[in-house]
Amino acid sequence: MAMTLVALAYPSMLGLGKVSTAQDRVISNTQWGPLTEQDRDFVVKVRAAGLWEYPVGQMGLQKGTTPGVITASKHLVDGHAALDTTCRKIAPMLNITLPDLPSPQQQGFVSQLKADSGKKFDSDFANILRMTHGSIFNTISKIRSTTKNSLVRALADQANDTVLDHMTVMEKTGLVDFDQTIFQQTTPPKLPNSDLTPPPPAAGQPEVVLTPPPNATSTPVDLSGLTGGNPSAGPSPSPTVG
């Protein structure tokens, strides 16, 4: 039974280039509306994005050489900490298992930036992050316009504001090569699903928490209006068969 629940709660294929044959299939009915495969995958995508962009933001604060890169790094840490809090709030309410590590592809971005220094770091930082944020921006609008689940809608609203902000601060660095970035964004490499899928969390390990900075300006979604004022009191969703 435990293995069945994990299989339901955690997507088997997920990534920036994921194409599902049944994304609108309802996998559970909840008091906040039906939850589809694409709804679930979206929550996991937002969590996975923070798991690599938050530490890259911390890296940028140490390695960035221009004011624009430093500012963009602060926005990454601030925005993804707030998004992560929202993801961790709604995931147990919707019976969604969150990863504690980003996908192998995303880990590769981190490794590349760790190896960079100086102007090379600044340029790769701005272009990689502009590309990845641009890639998920269209996904957010699709989820926001189609989901029937109010918790997922609330996360999409927050993600839309955060991703737009992060795209903007990357552009303000003056380092984005738009021809290259948009090409990579619209024609991503055909990677195997294993490279695009964040691994499931290790059993018994504490959940990774992205701590807000002391001067945080971004805030998690207020779920009180969606949950009757007590987010922890909602019943677990009932999985559907098939």
Side-chain angles (χ1 to χ4, degrees):
M1 176 65 73
M3 291 298 292
T4 301
L5 289 175
V6 169
L8 170 69
Y10 198 81
S12 59
M13 297 180 183
L14 180 69
L16 291 176
K18 177 179 185 291
V19 177
S20 173
T21 56
Q23 286 189 323
D24 59 351
R25 183 174 72 91
V26 174
I27 56 174
S28 64
N29 288 301
T30 81
Q31 70 185 78
W32 304 280
L35 185 77
T36 65
E37 285 192 12
Q38 65 182 3
D39 292 336
R40 174 199 60 193
D41 291 358
F42 175 69
V43 177
V44 175
K45 279 184 181 180
V46 174
R47 164 71 167 176
L51 290 171
W52 77 274
E53 292 176 18
Y54 179 95
V56 163
Q58 293 179 315
M59 194 188 307
L61 292 174
Q62 299 298 318
K63 298 175 69 172
T65 69
T66 71
V69 171
I70 298 298
T71 296
S73 298
K74 291 177 180 178
H75 281 238
L76 284 179
V77 172
D78 185 54
H80 280 291
L83 277 175
D84 188 69
T85 298
T86 301
C87 285
R88 289 184 294 101
K89 281 183 179 180
I90 71 173
M93 298 163 71
L94 297 174
N95 197 29
I96 296 174
T97 301
L98 296 176
D100 281 326
L101 289 172
S103 72
Q105 181 196 40
Q106 293 166 332
Q107 292 179 45
F109 295 146
V110 176
S111 296
Q112 179 177 347
L113 291 167
K114 279 184 178 179
D116 285 345
S117 61
K119 299 299 183 182
K120 173 68 170 164
F121 173 84
D122 293 341
S123 177
D124 285 348
F125 173 92
N127 283 280
I128 289 172
L129 287 157
R130 174 57 178 81
M131 181 270 291
T132 54
H133 283 87
S135 296
I136 201 172
F137 197 52
N138 291 332
T139 299
I140 296 170
S141 64
K142 179 181 179 183
I143 292 293
R144 180 59 182 84
S145 64
T146 61
T147 185
K148 298 177 182 178
N149 188 284
S150 60
L151 296 182
V152 176
R153 258 197 313 275
L155 177 63
D157 283 341
Q158 182 186 1
N160 183 76
D161 292 343
T162 303
V163 170
L164 180 58
D165 172 68
H166 291 176
M167 289 171 64
T168 302
V169 292
M170 294 306 156
E171 292 162 357
K172 286 183 176 180
T173 65
L175 300 171
V176 174
D177 180 334
F178 283 95
D179 289 337
Q180 177 189 43
T181 299
I182 293 173
F183 175 79
Q184 292 175 334
Q185 178 182 310
T186 55
T187 55
K190 296 187 182 301
L191 298 174
N193 287 318
S194 58
D195 283 357
L196 301 172
T197 306
Q205 295 298 309
E207 184 179 56
V208 172
V209 174
L210 304 184
T211 306
N215 56 344
T217 59
S218 299
T219 56
V221 171
D222 180 4
L223 301 177
S224 59
L226 303 176
T227 60
N230 187 358
S232 62
S236 299
S238 302
T240 58
V241 178

